[in-house]
């Protein structure tokens, strides 16, 4: 009797009852829900609601199923399910991510039957859910992106033989082609059976074996040998298929088939080795969330499309983040050649009950998914979530015990105990990874410092309580880092033109900067259309900022041969989180087709101290070639060229694994008539192949002859500023009254009085202060530190801009600031400017996340008969005139302060020295 399967996917009756435990017969009215799919994805009034619900549907049973063994199978139901057939409970299951089934044949009747499921998706209210409060269950990212409740994977009815196969584990050995097979049967056999094993590969049938399973056996273990095996890898994802057929008297009564691959993964000398060869792990974090169904996969074709795009981006791995996916996820990864690093869903509070649930979930994951060659690593805990490794010895003992158990249960994969973010750490792990977020261009020095500490095998990565089990040869990597780049809201709308429902999520994260709803309204209200032209142009600029940031961060890591890989946060946007390489609907970012140039086995790695220069200055850029392959590439040349001048250089080299430093590219900044961005082009090639390309964007400024506003006299209460301004060509007035412009660091009573009397003030505000009464008291406009606030932009990135018009048209690039602003990026912002200010008086500003928390970086304000221009750009970091960006900004700010005022001729000025 071969298996026959009926799908129960589709429309089910549904009713949600909140925390109330309502009996099936007491449900008064029904709605219609689609299975599979979480109820939060289907009903506007249940987006954030956990609790209890009933599902119900009828099914017509074929007449020839009468008396046969029939099983109902659920792919996954979150979190607890009771299953009733024709009003009789047939099974109950706890756990939201793994499959379960039950025999129901004796409860079925000819014709129409009713199947009902009572689902409990608990909150953390122990009074309402004493058996399994949410914090004591594995729930993963539900605490971030909202709950996932109900029947979210497929449901089937299946007729089978009484004796049938329930599970098959495969343990292939690359070294000799053997495959150890472990088959679990539904029950002890009543009679002898033959188990026929067939292995098919790329060239068809390649191995066969028949073994006898004696009466009374419920498990069969044997070994099949495949000759001349081909290894599975991302470059060549060769799959084999094992088919096990259970025969009685020669007749097939059941069969099961699973794909598998021959591959090994291990660590050696600080590297991850696949099939015995070192690899550079180029990974991205995958939340495994989908645009319309939360974690319910739209289709296999959808998975194939997103994985194809992953490979186009140069990724060879995805870190499947604290999730148990739909099994098709791994099937597609196997076929397409993507490595998967899987993490089990975290709880919120590690109790004894919780630990048992975590261990059962982990065991179930390995049993369900262990045959997939794409999975190379398991993680037990992420960032200490649900545990307290920092303070609790019992928790450290538990995670270490679980690590050792998992290594024994599945010796074919790597295991990470806790993937840490400060202040947590490892106890014992196959990979020494760490998480760090420092968005660029703002935090370049912080990123460089982290990379250096990581490459030096920092002590803080492991427990300091004396219980660390560290070999010192674990592969090092940053397994979370990233930057935001906003998606185009129009491309996320549904067929009805409405924004997606998850735009209304995220309001309770990061002081509201994660809240997407209304982003287009805010964009216009803050006058950003006057800066960028359109929302689409702003989005594109934000995505290129994301590219520049990731480019720099990856280059910094690839310069360090000690690092074995990295994990970008993240593969796709997820609801309110917008740091994906693709958006939530898997639309490509603006940089999609160039990202592979920095995310590849072999890359050109530049190193620079600054990228803004005056024409004629000597520019020096360090050059290196990073080879992430396990073999030497012979006969290559490292080339650089500057098209603006024809300058260039070539250096032959053999690329051994690791990093090979070449000669610096040294050249003179080209002559330019106006400021412009020029590109230093880099490449590595052989006689017949271009292996890698990269570039460095350089901001080149014409030589400055003096202040852009002409002859200007300044006065300042700060003696050090007097000398600096003189060095920049500004005249010196004897007092504030005789000056064209006053330059000061603080707005005090004297400065306010001078402005009201008609003076022009440039405020270099690099310290906290109020800007009253130049601004009205009710606005509470103030200079405030970025540190300790969402303006820091370390996780949800900030987007800082300068209008490239009027006095700031001499700044190349933009409007978003880039690495050419490296020396002037503000530590403070000017908070509480109004939308009126942004539409008219703010010349440089910042927004965070989904265009929230607007703050000014340059703002003008008339007061009385005078004007103040305040800025928080750090214009005093370098010697006068050393940094073209700082100099050009200061000139523009002075020019803005003098707007509408005629500067007297030198001979007519009173009090000028």
């Amino acid at each position: 009797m071969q298996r026959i399967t009926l799908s129960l996917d589709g429309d089910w009756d549904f009713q949600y009852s909140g925390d109330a435990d309502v009996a099936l017969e007491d449900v008064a009215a029904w709605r219609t829900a689609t299975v599979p799919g979480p109820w939060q994805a289907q009903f506007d009034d249940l987006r954030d609601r956990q609790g209890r619900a009933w599902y119900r549907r009828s099914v017509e049973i074929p007449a020839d199923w009468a008396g046969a063994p029939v099983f109902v199978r659920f792919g996954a139901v979150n979190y607890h399910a009771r299953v009733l057939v024709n009003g009789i409970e047939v099974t109950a299951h706890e756990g939201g991510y793994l499959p379960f089934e039950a025999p129901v044949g004796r409860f079925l009747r000819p014709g129409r039957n009713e199947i009902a499921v009572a689902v409990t998706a608990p909150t953390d209210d122990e009074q309402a859910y004493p058996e399994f409060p949410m914090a004591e269950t594995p729930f993963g990212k539900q605490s971030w992106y909202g709950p996932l409740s109900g029947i979210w994977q497929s449901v089937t009815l299946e007729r089978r033989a009484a004796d049938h196969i329930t599970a098959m584990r495969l343990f292939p050995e690359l070294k000799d082609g053997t495959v150890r097979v472990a088959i679990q049967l539904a029950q002890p056999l009543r009679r002898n059976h033959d188990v026929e094993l067939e292995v098919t590969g790329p060239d068809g049938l390649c191995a066969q074996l028949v073994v006898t399973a004696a009466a009374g056996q419920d498990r069969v273990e044997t070994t099949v040998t495949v000759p001349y095996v081909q290894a599975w890898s991302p470059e060549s994802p060769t799959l084999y298929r094992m088919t096990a057929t259970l025969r009685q008297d020669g007749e097939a009564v059941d069969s099961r088939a699973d794909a598998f691959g021959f591959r090994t993964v291990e660590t050696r000398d600080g590297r991850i080795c696949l099939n015995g060869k070192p690899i550079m792990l180029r990974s991205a974090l995958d939340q495994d969330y989908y645009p319309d169904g939360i974690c319910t996969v739209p289709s296999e074709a959808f998975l194939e499309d997103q994985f194809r795009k992953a490979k186009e981006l140069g990724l060879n791995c995805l870190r499947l983040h604290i999730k148990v996916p739909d099994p098709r996820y791994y099937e597609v990864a196997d076929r397409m050649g993507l490595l998967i690093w899987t993490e089990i869903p975290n709880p919120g509070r590690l109790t004894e009950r919780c630990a048992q649930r975590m261990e059962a979930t982990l065991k179930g994951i390995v049993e369900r998914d262990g045959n997939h060659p794409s999975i190379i690593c398991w993680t037990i805990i992420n960032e200490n979530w649900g545990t307290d490794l920092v303070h609790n010895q019992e928790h450290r003992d538990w995670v270490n015990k679980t690590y050792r158990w998992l290594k024994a249960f599945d010796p074919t994969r790597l295991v990470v105990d806790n993937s840490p973010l400060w202040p947590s750490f490892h106890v014992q792990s196959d990979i020494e990874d760490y998480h760090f977020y420092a968005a660029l261009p703002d935090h370049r020095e912080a990123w460089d410092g982290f990379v250096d500490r990581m490459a030096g095998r920092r002590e803080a990565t492991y427990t300091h309580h004396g219980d660390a089990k560290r070999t010192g040869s674990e592969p090092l990597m940053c397994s979370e880092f990233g930057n935001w780049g906003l998606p185009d809201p129009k491309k996320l709308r549904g067929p009805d033109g409405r924004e997606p429902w998850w735009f209304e999520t995220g309001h309770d994260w990061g002081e509201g900067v994660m809240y997407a709803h209304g982003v287009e309204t805010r964009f216009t209200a803050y006058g950003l259309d006057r800066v960028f032209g359109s929302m689409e142009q702003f989005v594109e600029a934000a995505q290129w900022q994301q590219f520049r940031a990731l480019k720099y961060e990856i280059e910094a890591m690839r310069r360090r041969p000690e690092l074995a890989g990295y994990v970008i946060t993240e593969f796709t946007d997820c609801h309110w989180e917008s740091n994906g390489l693709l958006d939530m609907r898997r639309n490509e970012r603006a940089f999609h087709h160039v990202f592979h140039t920095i995310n590849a086995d072999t890359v050109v790695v530049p190193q620079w101290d600054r990228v803004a220069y005056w024409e004629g200055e000597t520019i020096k850029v360090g050059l290196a070639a990073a080879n992430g392959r396990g073999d030497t590439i012979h006969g290559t040349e490292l080339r650089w060229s500057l098209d603006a001048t024809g300058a260039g250089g070539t250096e032959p080299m053999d690329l051994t694994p690791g990093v090979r430093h070449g000669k610096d590219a040294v050249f003179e900044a080209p002559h330019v008539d106006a400021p412009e961005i020029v590109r230093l082009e880099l490449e590595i090639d052989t006689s017949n192949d271009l292996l890698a390309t990269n570039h460095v964007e350089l901001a080149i400024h014409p030589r400055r002859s003096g202040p852009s506003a002409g002859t200007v006299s300044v006065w300042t209460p700060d003696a050090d500023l007097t000398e600096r301004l003189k060095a920049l060509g500004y005249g010196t007035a004897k007092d504030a009254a005789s000056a064209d412009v006053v330059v000061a660091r603080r707005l005090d009573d004297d400065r306010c009085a001078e402005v009201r009397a008609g003076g022009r003030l440039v405020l270099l505000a690099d310290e906290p202060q109020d800007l009253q009464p130049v601004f009205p008291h009710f606005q509470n406009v103030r200079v405030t530190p970025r540190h300790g606030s969402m303006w820091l932009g370390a996780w949800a990135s900030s987007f800082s801009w300068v209008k490239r018009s009027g006095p700031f048209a001499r700044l190349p690039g933009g409007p978003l600031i880039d690495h050419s602003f490296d020396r002037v990026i503000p530590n403070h912002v000017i908070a509480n400017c109004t939308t009126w200010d942004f539409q008219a008086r703010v010349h440089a500003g910042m927004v965070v996340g989904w265009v929230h928390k607007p703050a000014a970086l340059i703002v003008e304000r008339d007061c009385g008969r005078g004007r103040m221009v305040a800025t928080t750009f750090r214009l005093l970091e370098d010697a006068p005139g050393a940094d073209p960006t700082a100099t050009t900004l200061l000139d523009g700010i002075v020019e803005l302060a003098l707007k509408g005022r005629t500067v007297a001729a030198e001979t007519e000025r009173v009090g000028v020295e």
Side-chain angles (χ1 to χ4, degrees), residues 371-427:
N371 293 343
H372 292 286
S374 55
I375 305 173
I376 61 165
C377 186
W378 307 113
T379 291
I380 301 167
I381 292 292
N382 176 73
E383 292 184 355
N384 200 29
W385 293 352
T387 61
D388 185 7
L389 304 178
V390 178
H391 305 104
N392 193 312
Q393 177 71 52
E394 291 181 357
H395 289 191
R396 295 195 298 275
D397 290 344
W398 176 81
V399 77
N400 190 232
K401 178 196 74 173
T402 306
Y403 165 86
R404 295 195 307 271
W405 171 84
L406 184 51
K407 288 293 292 182
F409 189 61
D410 183 9
T412 69
R413 293 178 173 91
L414 307 179
V415 175
V416 172
D417 58 343
N418 170 53
S419 194
L421 175 73
W422 188 90
S424 71
F425 40 62
H426 292 287
V427 179

Side-chain angles (χ1 to χ4, degrees), residues 38 60 164 239 275 302 418 464 493 503 515 551 559 564-565 589 647 650 703 712 816 900:
E60 192 81 21
H164 61 271
L239 288 175
N275 303 328
F302 191 97
N418 170 53
H464 55 275
R493 294 173 183 166
F503 261 42
Y515 187 53
K551 177 179 182 293
R559 281 196 296 271
R589 290 287 203 248
T650 301
R703 280 291 180 182
V712 178
L816 287 181

Side-chain angles (χ1 to χ4, degrees), residues 518-757:
V519 61
E520 294 172 273
T521 299
R522 290 189 295 277
F523 176 81
T524 304
Y526 301 145
L528 296 182
D529 54 331
R530 293 175 167 87
V531 179
F532 292 90
S534 67
M535 184 73 191
E536 290 80 3
Q537 289 171 290
F538 170 64
V539 163
E540 182 174 359
Q543 292 179 7
W544 282 113
Q545 173 176 298
Q546 181 186 17
F547 171 77
R548 289 190 296 269
L550 291 171
K551 177 179 182 293
Y552 183 90
E553 289 168 327
I554 291 171
E555 288 168 351
M557 290 186 288
R558 293 303 300 271
R559 281 196 296 271
R560 300 305 301 254
E562 301 93 338
L563 302 184
Y566 49 83
V567 182
I568 300 164
T569 306
E570 55 196 337
F571 179 40
T572 75
D573 294 345
C574 189
H575 287 191
W576 47 262
E577 200 168 40
S578 183
N579 45 9
L581 301 175
L582 304 171
D583 73 20
M584 189 73 178
R585 294 200 182 277
R586 281 42 174 185
N587 294 308
E588 299 167 358
R589 290 287 203 248
F591 53 77
H592 184 82
H593 293 288
V594 299
F595 193 76
H596 70 277
T597 62
I598 59 167
N599 190 43
D601 271 339
T602 304
V603 292
V604 194
V605 185
Q607 185 170 17
W608 47 263
D609 293 323
R610 60 187 177 107
V611 295
Y613 288 89
W614 300 111
E615 63 180 6
E617 283 192 280
T618 298
I619 300 175
K620 182 171 75 171
V621 177
L623 300 179
N627 175 14
R629 292 165 40 172
D631 58 337
T632 298
I633 308 173
H634 296 281
T636 69
E637 288 189 332
L638 175 60
R639 302 177 183 273
W640 64 270
S641 62
L642 189 74
D643 290 343
T645 64
T650 301
E651 181 177 359
M653 58 175 61
D654 290 335
L655 299 185
T656 54
V659 179
R660 172 73 185 274
H661 290 277
K663 299 174 183 176
D664 295 339
V666 182
F667 53 95
E668 186 176 284
H671 168 76
V672 291
D673 295 323
E676 65 175 281
I677 302 293
V678 301
R679 280 172 55 125
L680 175 66
E681 301 288 351
L682 311 171
E683 63 182 44
I684 301 172
D685 60 15
T686 64
S687 57
N688 56 9
D689 192 16
L690 181 63
L691 295 180
T693 63
N694 203 348
H695 69 273
V696 178
E697 292 182 337
L698 302 166
I700 310 298
H701 294 251
R703 280 291 180 182
R704 175 178 177 273
S705 58
S708 60
T711 304
V712 178
S713 70
V714 298
W715 179 85
T716 174
D718 303 299
D720 62 317
L721 290 183
T722 301
E723 295 306 312
R724 172 179 287 272
L725 293 165
K726 281 180 67 175
L728 288 173
Y730 287 94
T732 303
K734 67 179 182 179
D735 53 32
S738 61
D740 294 320
V741 177
V742 173
V743 180
R745 289 187 170 97
R746 291 200 63 81
L747 181 65
D748 55 22
D749 290 343
D750 290 339
R751 304 290 83 77
C752 290
E754 291 157 4
V755 171
R756 282 196 297 269

Side-chain angles (χ1 to χ4, degrees), residues 196-209 224-228 239-244:
E196 179 183 271
L197 300 173
E198 292 187 343
V199 180
T200 54
D203 301 319
L205 182 66
C206 52
Q208 284 180 297
L209 180 69
V224 179
T225 300
V226 178
Y228 313 114
L239 288 175
Y240 292 78
R241 191 167 189 82
M242 176 74 72
T243 302

Side-chain angles (χ1 to χ4, degrees), residues 208-262:
Q208 284 180 297
L209 180 69
V210 178
V211 297
T212 299
Q217 265 185 268
D218 66 354
R219 186 175 175 84
V220 177
E221 294 195 18
T222 189
T223 299
V224 179
T225 300
V226 178
Y228 313 114
V229 298
Q230 298 178 40
W232 183 96
S233 69
E235 297 76 24
S236 180
T238 302
L239 288 175
Y240 292 78
R241 191 167 189 82
M242 176 74 72
T243 302
T245 303
L246 192 63
R247 294 185 180 274
Q248 182 179 313
D249 299 329
E251 181 181 348
V253 296
D254 193 38
S255 65
R256 177 174 180 136
D258 273 357
F260 69 97
F262 291 92

Side-chain angles (χ1 to χ4, degrees), residues 313-334:
L313 288 161
L315 298 170
N316 61 10
C317 179
L318 293 175
R319 178 174 164 233
L320 182 61
H321 197 37
I322 48 178
K323 194 80 71 293
V324 185
D326 184 300
R328 291 174 292 175
Y329 185 99
Y330 294 129
E331 293 167 8
V332 176
D334 290 346

Side-chain angles (χ1 to χ4, degrees), residues 30-282:
W30 294 92
R31 308 164 80 170
T32 301
T34 299
V35 171
W39 68 59
Q40 289 87 358
Q42 302 183 51
F43 302 106
D44 289 342
D45 58 324
L46 301 181
R47 299 296 188 202
D48 298 306
R49 304 297 292 176
Q50 294 156 273
R52 294 182 170 93
W54 277 102
Y55 289 81
R56 182 185 72 175
R57 69 158 292 167
S58 61
V59 56
E60 192 81 21
I61 301 300
D64 59 355
W65 284 26
V70 178
F71 291 78
V72 63
R73 185 182 189 280
F74 293 82
V77 179
N78 201 22
Y79 171 74
H80 183 274
R82 290 192 301 116
V83 182
L84 285 68
V85 175
N86 295 323
I88 301 171
E89 184 170 333
V90 297
T91 191
H93 179 265
E94 181 186 341
Y97 296 97
L98 293 171
F100 63 96
E101 62 180 35
V104 297
R106 64 193 178 95
F107 304 106
L108 297 173
R109 55 193 179 221
R112 188 161 296 276
N113 293 259
E114 181 184 88
I115 296 176
V117 184
V119 175
T120 302
T123 68
D124 203 30
D125 183 346
E126 295 188 40
Q127 298 292 321
Y129 306 97
E131 295 182 6
F132 32 72
M134 183 177 177
E136 294 187 32
T137 69
F139 58 77
K141 275 300 186 73
Q142 294 182 71
S143 58
W144 283 57
Y145 308 125
L148 163 75
S149 305
I151 307 173
W152 67 279
Q153 288 188 29
S154 288
V155 186
T156 57
L157 271 180
E158 193 167 71
R159 190 193 73 177
R160 307 174 188 165
D163 294 322
H164 61 271
I165 299 168
T166 60
M168 180 168 63
R169 284 296 314 278
L170 306 172
F171 302 90
E173 290 285 349
L174 178 61
K175 63 183 178 183
D176 58 12
T178 58
V179 186
R180 183 165 61 88
V181 186
I183 296 172
Q184 185 64 49
L185 303 173
Q187 60 187 15
L189 295 172
R190 292 168 294 178
R191 297 175 52 192
N192 290 355
H193 285 65
D194 287 335
V195 179
E196 179 183 271
L197 300 173
E198 292 187 343
V199 180
T200 54
D203 301 319
L205 182 66
C206 52
Q208 284 180 297
L209 180 69
V210 178
V211 297
T212 299
Q217 265 185 268
D218 66 354
R219 186 175 175 84
V220 177
E221 294 195 18
T222 189
T223 299
V224 179
T225 300
V226 178
Y228 313 114
V229 298
Q230 298 178 40
W232 183 96
S233 69
E235 297 76 24
S236 180
T238 302
L239 288 175
Y240 292 78
R241 191 167 189 82
M242 176 74 72
T243 302
T245 303
L246 192 63
R247 294 185 180 274
Q248 182 179 313
D249 299 329
E251 181 181 348
V253 296
D254 193 38
S255 65
R256 177 174 180 136
D258 273 357
F260 69 97
F262 291 92
R263 68 106 184 92
T264 63
V265 61
E266 61 188 317
T267 65
R268 188 191 316 138
D269 301 325
R271 313 301 295 182
I272 296 172
C273 295
L274 187 71
N275 303 328
K277 297 180 180 179
I279 61 168
M280 172 61 61
L281 202 69
R282 306 185 306 277

